[in-house]
């Protein structure tokens, strides 16, 4: 469930199976929206936007290049997270590592390391209400997917 606007193409297209890569897609779209400070495909109706994404490869505009290394790092992770090929998207652990690097560079140190990934992402750009709740849920799923399970393996191995 969730907004069509943030739905991975394979979900919309009715793939028989899909993995945590759909959460990577959603997290990437939410992160893009938070940084761009706009709703993806703002002028389009949700149903039209998701159809253009899934069937025609529509993506939000690439974030403009800046001298800000945090922005550049996030733009690259977002771009990979919005890959049409779910196997090309970063795994949950990689996305969390990138967020942690940005978090460290924003305030760094042991005190900052205690922030949750959702709070670290929120520190980059404040967003309100539903978007923040949605992002927090997606990032919590990313954290859970990257943790070793009882058999010693993480659930997410990149796709």
């Amino acid at each position: 469930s969730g907004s069509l606007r943030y739905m991975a193409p394979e979900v919309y297209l009715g793939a028989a199976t899909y993995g945590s890569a759909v959460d990577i897609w959603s997290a990437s779209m939410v992160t893009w929206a938070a940084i761009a400070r706009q709703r993806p495909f703002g002028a389009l109706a949700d149903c039209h936007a998701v159809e253009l994404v899934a069937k025609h490869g529509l993506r939000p505009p690439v974030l403009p290049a800046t001298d800000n290394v945090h922005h550049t790092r996030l733009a690259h992770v977002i771009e990979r997270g919005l890959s049409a090929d779910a196997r090309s998207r970063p795994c949950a652990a990689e996305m969390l590592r990138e967020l942690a690097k940005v978090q460290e560079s924003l305030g760094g140190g042991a005190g900052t390391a205690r922030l949750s990934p959702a709070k670290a992402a929120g520190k980059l750009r404040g967003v309100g209400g539903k978007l923040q709740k949605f992002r927090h849920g997606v990032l919590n799923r990313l954290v859970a997917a990257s943790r070793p399970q009882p058999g010693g393996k993480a659930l997410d191995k990149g796709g």
Side-chain angles (χ1 to χ4, degrees):
S1 68
S3 172
L4 291 175
R5 206 169 280 276
Y6 300 90
M7 184 182 290
E10 59 269 30
V11 175
Y12 176 76
L13 293 173
T17 60
Y18 46 83
S20 61
V22 300
D23 288 331
I24 298 297
W25 172 279
S26 297
S28 298
M29 193 65 83
V30 168
T31 305
W32 181 91
I35 292 169
R37 294 184 180 189
Q38 59 182 300
R39 201 169 74 146
F41 324 115
L44 298 174
D46 284 355
C47 59
H48 192 163
V50 73
E51 185 169 339
L52 289 172
V53 165
K55 294 182 178 178
H56 302 286
L58 179 68
R59 300 294 182 270
V62 175
L63 295 168
T66 69
D67 291 337
N68 185 325
V69 69
H70 321 302
H71 184 277
T72 302
R73 177 174 276 143
L74 282 173
H76 179 70
V77 170
I78 291 167
E79 185 177 345
R80 287 188 53 222
L82 296 177
S83 172
D85 179 4
R87 295 168 298 183
S88 297
R89 296 178 198 150
C91 67
E94 182 180 350
M95 191 164 190
L96 289 171
R97 277 193 303 272
E98 289 302 316
L99 287 174
K101 288 176 187 175
V102 173
Q103 175 185 339
E104 284 177 27
S105 62
L106 287 173
T112 312
R114 288 187 291 249
L115 289 177
S116 70
K119 287 183 180 177
K123 196 169 182 180
L124 296 173
R125 292 270 189 239
V127 294
K130 253 186 216 182
L131 186 58
Q132 191 168 7
K133 184 177 179 183
F134 177 78
R135 180 183 63 211
H136 182 72
V138 168
L139 289 174
N140 280 341
R141 283 181 285 194
L142 291 174
V143 170
S146 68
R147 288 192 179 130
Q149 298 304 304
K153 296 180 179 177
L155 291 176
D156 185 343
K157 291 297 182 189

